[in-house]
Amino acid sequence: MAEIINLRQVRKDREKAAKQAKAAENRVLFGRPKKAKTLAETRKAIEQARHEAHRLAEPDKD
């Protein structure tokens, strides 16, 4: 005989798997801790200031 399948449960399992896949993708994209984000922003600001400090003259302000 064939195995009986609960279609409601299959639908819920499929939706749960989709949510888990989306969560894993978001962890990769947005998963940096706040400390790491602020450290990167600080380093970027320092590098930008260092770069700007080496300018010979102010740009024209027309």
Side-chain angles (χ1 to χ4, degrees):
M1 280 186 75
E3 185 177 340
I4 297 175
I5 299 174
N6 186 341
L7 296 177
R8 179 180 49 85
Q9 192 62 42
V10 171
R11 178 182 49 84
K12 285 184 176 185
D13 289 342
R14 184 178 53 226
E15 289 172 0
K16 186 176 181 181
K19 278 186 177 182
Q20 288 176 349
K22 181 66 173 173
E25 183 178 324
N26 285 340
R27 279 192 298 272
V28 170
L29 293 175
F30 305 108
R32 293 190 308 161
K34 185 174 183 177
K35 189 173 183 178
K37 289 178 190 177
T38 56
L39 180 63
E41 289 173 3
T42 304
R43 285 182 178 167
K44 185 175 180 182
I46 290 170
E47 288 298 320
Q48 186 174 4
R50 187 175 295 149
H51 179 70
E52 291 295 322
H54 287 91
R55 285 188 182 267
L56 296 177
E58 288 290 320
D60 294 334
K61 296 183 180 181
D62 291 333

